[in-house]
Amino acid sequence: MSSDVLLSVKDISILSEDRQCNIVDTISFDVMEGSIHSIIGPNGAGKSTLGYAIMGVYHPCSGKIFFKGKDITDLSITERAKRGITLAWQTPARFDGLSVYDYIGVGVKDKNLIEQRVREALEIVNLDPDIYIKRKVDANLSGGERKRIELASVIAMRPKLVILDEAEAGMDLIVLESFMDIFNKIKELGMTILLITHREDIGMVSDNSTLIWDGKVLANGHFRDIMVLYCQKAGLKKICNRTLFNQFDECIDKIIEEETRENKI
Amino acid sequence: MSERSDSSEILNSLEKYNLDISDYLPSHSGPKLVLNFNKITTVSEVEGIILKGREIENGIIADIVIKEGTVLEDPIHLCFGVNKETGLQEIFPRIIAEDNSSVTLQAHCSFPNAKNLTHKMFGHIYVGKNCKFVYNETHYHGEQNGATVAPVSHVYVGENSYFENNFFLTQGTIGRMKIQIDIYAFKDSIINSNVKAFGKNSLDSIRVRDAVFLEGENARSIIKMKAAAIGGGEVMMFGITEGNAANTTGHVDCTEIVKDRGSRCRAIPLIRATDESCHITHEASLGKVDSAQLNALMARGLDEDEATDLIIKNML
Ligand SMILES: Nc1ncnc2c1ncn2[C@@H]1O[C@H](COP(=O)(O)OP(=O)(O)OP(=O)(O)O)[C@@H](O)[C@H]1O
Ligand SMILES: [Mg+2]
């Protein structure tokens, strides 16, 4: 991991469609180049929405996003992808007639490398290339197969930053076991990972972590510490590190303070 | 020009669309009937299949009988080609598949030079009991939008039979096309009808009426219509399913993508149930490409146009 910041999210907020509330509320964090940075938080916390905002699917109503020091807040999805950002979708789209080969090959810039990259990527995600390249990315793929193909398609593309939105969800145990290998491969290939996950064992690979709750950042830090906070906040009976209680209390105090302030306004 | 070289020109036009023409060549042993305009150039039968063509004023009558119990691995090929620029071709196929038979009929209609050419077809297909019958029809109308094509088919599918219809109009220009397919499904039969059409410019106008009448109990059907209209092209899909007997199930699915100014897509699903145990449904989506699909491809670096083209190309 270098000491350079690859992605910097500064105070971004995203309004809900009915414009009644912020799904993402003044969120800030940095992702270091070459690192695995995890985003954790309960269902509906705003993790996917945040991922989409970085990809350019949603545009924040305030705040800025910097990638390699450049402001990309106003760029389109395509322009961000061309600069080296991509996303593996939590629920990947299905396509009538599009082959696995063509789907995985879409992001490979050098057309001479497509076959090699597609096969290699399928092998990394433990799918037999000879069987899968001819199949279609349609409704006939199982949920787990579709997720693995999604992962393969980002690996073949070789972006600088890959946002993995619960890439592991729906995968079988055998694949989960080898997930660490997959992450290592992705890292070896020079990619930085923004990892959205619910799984403690998967999150353990991350260098840094951000806990999101109700659209806000509750804490940034090491995954283990963040997990302790998360469990506490969620009321889960986990053995917690004593020293973290204070930190946690501080967070809660901050939220209560903010909420009372909002109510006053 | 001799008849033989005329039909080889038609066959060559098929090759242009990446189609293996070897099945149509006289040296190939499979069953086939090849037309050059309104002349029959090749007829070859195999055991279990009767193929008879009779020339009439503006076309031919083609009689095809698949005898009881005949199971063919190779498809029966029909090639209705016209390499003239203008003219009228009328084809009257009468096809009977006797009980317990299993065949695929592959029809190609090729009009590579069409400028003001009309092709009409009035087809009847009778499928007996316990059969499997697959009918594939693919059209190539050249590059000049000069064809007017109007096929009408009536299909009767007997007890416990499977009938599949694949009608594809996706390569080259279309011109004016009006298709009507009526399928009557009897007891325990299964119907699977797929229509794909691609209008590429303002001279392309496609109208498809694909209807299934579920007349026998437990008959099931699915109609899938997929189309795209770009560059001012026009597509209208009329998907009909009627459940007129007990426990019939039918579904009409229509997906149409519209791109560019002046392009138009329309879908009219019409479903009807006259028995309380029927289950007939429909689903249609028209307009832009699904945004989740677009976003997925754009996140790999394609722009919106490239992504849309890739989605259309693969869907059709
Ligand atoms: N287009 C939308 N319109 C309205 N509300 C939305 C929209 N998209 C997301 N939301 C809401 O915003 C909140 C955050 O959703 P998001 O999908 O980002 O959650 P998440 O943290 O990824 O959850 P999960 O762990 O379940 O994937 C949820 O309450 C969701 O219902
Ligand atoms: Mg999510």
Side-chain angles (χ1 to χ4, degrees):
Chain A
M1 187 180 23
S2 81
S3 56
D4 293 335
V5 174
L6 181 68
L7 177 82
S8 185
V9 174
K10 296 258 185 260
D11 296 325
I12 66 162
S13 295
I14 297 164
L15 270 176
S16 63
E17 256 168 21
D18 57 11
R19 305 190 168 269
Q20 294 297 308
C21 63
N22 282 329
I23 298 177
V24 164
D25 193 356
T26 47
I27 280 187
S28 300
F29 65 96
D30 287 342
V31 177
M32 309 308 283
E33 186 157 10
S35 70
I36 299 180
H37 188 117
S38 58
I39 302 281
I40 57 171
N43 293 132
K47 304 179 298 296
S48 294
T49 308
L50 176 64
Y52 292 166
I54 298 165
M55 190 66 246
V57 179
Y58 294 153
H59 287 276
C61 55
S62 62
K64 295 225 171 285
I65 302 169
F66 297 90
F67 184 64
K68 294 200 283 177
K70 301 242 163 61
D71 184 354
I72 59 160
T73 320
D74 296 326
L75 296 188
S76 69
I77 302 175
T78 309
E79 286 164 326
R80 293 179 201 211
K82 285 189 168 152
R83 288 185 185 209
I85 303 177
T86 201
L87 190 151
W89 310 83
Q90 183 172 3
T91 313
R94 311 265 179 167
F95 299 84
D96 268 343
L98 184 66
S99 70
V100 167
Y101 182 89
D102 287 340
Y103 181 66
I104 299 179
V106 157
V108 183
K109 278 194 214 99
D110 184 345
K111 299 301 161 204
N112 296 319
L113 291 179
I114 292 180
E115 174 148 14
Q116 182 198 327
R117 288 272 184 88
V118 171
R119 287 183 165 273
E120 175 198 78
L122 281 168
E123 268 161 18
I124 293 175
V125 300
N126 294 319
L127 292 178
D128 182 347
D130 290 328
I131 294 172
Y132 282 91
I133 53 174
K134 288 191 213 88
R135 291 200 55 181
K136 306 279 187 244
V137 194
D138 59 14
N140 295 327
L141 285 175
S142 78
E145 285 168 334
R146 180 66 191 87
K147 293 280 275 197
R148 291 200 233 175
I149 284 161
E150 191 61 13
L151 204 50
S153 85
V154 304
I155 293 170
M157 180 181 167
R158 302 275 199 281
K160 295 195 179 68
L161 173 72
V162 44
I163 306 159
L164 300 180
D165 193 354
E166 295 188 33
E168 76 287 354
M171 300 243 191
D172 55 51
L173 291 172
I174 308 156
V175 183
L176 275 178
E177 278 266 295
S178 58
F179 235 81
M180 307 306 154
D181 294 343
I182 298 178
F183 286 135
N184 285 332
K185 270 269 162 40
I186 295 179
K187 268 184 100 167
E188 271 169 34
L189 292 167
M191 298 176 228
T192 301
I193 303 174
L194 185 64
L195 181 69
I196 300 171
T197 187
H198 282 293
R199 289 188 61 112
E200 196 173 345
D201 48 354
I202 298 283
M204 290 302 260
V205 299
S206 54
D207 304 294
N208 293 301
S209 192
T210 299
L211 173 60
I212 293 182
W213 201 285
D214 273 347
K216 296 187 177 75
V217 173
L218 262 196
N220 277 303
H222 289 293
F223 181 76
R224 219 180 272 271
D225 305 341
I226 295 297
M227 214 50 205
V228 174
L229 275 180
Y230 183 10
C231 294
Q232 272 290 314
K233 170 87 172 136
L236 297 176
K237 288 195 186 84
K238 276 228 169 181
I239 307 148
C240 294
N241 185 330
R242 198 59 232 168
T243 56
L244 286 163
F245 275 116
N246 302 335
Q247 240 184 9
F248 175 65
D249 286 342
E250 268 172 40
C251 285
I252 297 294
D253 288 347
K254 217 173 122 190
I255 288 172
I256 292 170
E257 191 192 305
E258 271 180 31
E259 274 172 3
T260 34
R261 204 174 50 216
E262 273 168 18
N263 288 342
K264 270 178 202 156
I265 298 163
Chain B
M1 210 187 278
S2 74
E3 292 298 350
R4 176 55 47 83
S5 66
D6 270 351
S7 60
S8 59
E9 190 182 323
I10 287 163
L11 294 179
N12 288 337
S13 77
L14 294 178
E15 206 169 28
K16 218 175 97 183
Y17 295 100
N18 295 326
L19 206 101
D20 181 7
I21 61 164
S22 58
D23 288 357
Y24 288 98
L25 298 177
S27 54
H28 184 262
S29 61
K32 62 184 158 295
L33 189 144
V34 180
L35 272 199
N36 171 24
F37 191 37
N38 298 326
K39 291 260 176 304
I40 297 164
T41 58
T42 316
V43 184
S44 47
E45 296 178 340
V46 294
E47 206 187 320
I49 308 288
I50 300 171
L51 264 170
K52 292 270 178 279
R54 182 155 59 87
E55 289 167 9
I56 53 170
E57 194 185 343
N58 289 313
I60 67 145
I61 297 172
D63 286 320
I64 301 170
V65 179
I66 297 113
K67 289 194 190 155
E68 186 171 351
T70 303
V71 176
L72 275 195
E73 295 283 322
D74 279 343
I76 301 171
H77 284 89
L78 304 177
C79 180
F80 304 131
V82 181
N83 55 19
K84 288 166 175 283
E85 293 181 352
T86 57
L88 169 67
Q89 184 190 50
E90 290 180 319
I91 312 281
F92 297 82
R94 301 185 295 205
I95 302 166
I96 298 169
E98 294 183 353
D99 295 350
N100 306 311
S101 61
S102 170
V103 289
T104 297
L105 222 105
Q106 176 67 57
H108 281 102
C109 296
S110 182
F111 317 120
N113 304 315
K115 271 194 180 149
N116 182 13
L117 187 86
T118 303
H119 162 97
K120 289 188 182 174
M121 187 182 89
F122 305 95
H124 284 86
I125 302 178
Y126 301 89
V127 179
K129 292 180 185 168
N130 308 316
C131 295
K132 181 179 175 197
F133 193 104
V134 178
Y135 183 78
N136 299 327
E137 184 164 330
T138 308
H139 280 242
Y140 313 118
H141 298 173
E143 302 299 330
Q144 303 177 82
N145 308 87
T148 299
V149 174
V152 177
S153 313
H154 293 272
V155 183
Y156 303 85
V157 182
E159 210 174 300
N160 201 33
S161 285
Y162 172 82
F163 178 80
E164 183 178 315
N165 170 52
N166 299 303
F167 202 114
F168 298 154
L169 286 145
T170 56
Q171 311 228 38
T173 64
I174 305 300
R176 281 149 47 84
M177 179 101 196
K178 206 170 152 188
I179 309 167
Q180 186 183 326
I181 310 161
D182 283 1
I183 303 170
Y184 296 86
F186 295 99
K187 191 168 175 250
D188 296 322
S189 60
I190 299 175
I191 312 296
N192 191 341
S193 184
N194 303 296
V195 178
K196 293 183 179 181
F198 192 1
K200 299 189 180 84
N201 60 46
S202 59
L203 299 171
D204 281 348
S205 161
I206 301 155
R207 273 145 211 249
V208 182
R209 175 190 192 271
D210 192 355
V212 177
F213 304 96
L214 300 164
E215 302 294 341
E217 59 186 79
N218 299 320
R220 282 177 286 157
S221 68
I222 179 156
I223 296 178
K224 276 195 188 160
M225 308 172 103
K226 294 190 187 296
I230 65 170
E234 184 207 13
V235 180
M236 163 143 117
M237 297 282 203
F238 196 10
I240 302 168
T241 297
E242 287 190 8
N244 295 328
N247 297 317
T248 48
T249 335
H251 182 67
V252 180
D253 185 293
C254 189
T255 310
E256 299 180 38
I257 296 172
V258 193
K259 199 185 147 205
D260 305 324
R261 270 180 85 92
S263 307
R264 253 184 310 160
C265 273
R266 279 177 289 173
I268 308 175
L270 194 138
I271 58 176
R272 200 175 97 131
T274 57
D275 188 290
E276 61 176 15
S277 59
C278 294
H279 186 65
I280 316 291
T281 51
H282 79 80
E283 196 179 334
S285 83
L286 278 79
K288 202 179 130 148
V289 173
D290 174 54
S291 64
Q293 292 182 341
L294 268 185
N295 290 342
L297 295 174
M298 281 158 44
R300 304 289 183 266
L302 298 190
D303 64 30
E304 192 169 335
D305 258 3
E306 291 167 334
T308 304
D309 289 346
L310 185 70
I311 292 165
I312 293 176
K313 194 182 114 205
N314 284 287
M315 181 184 91
L316 295 178

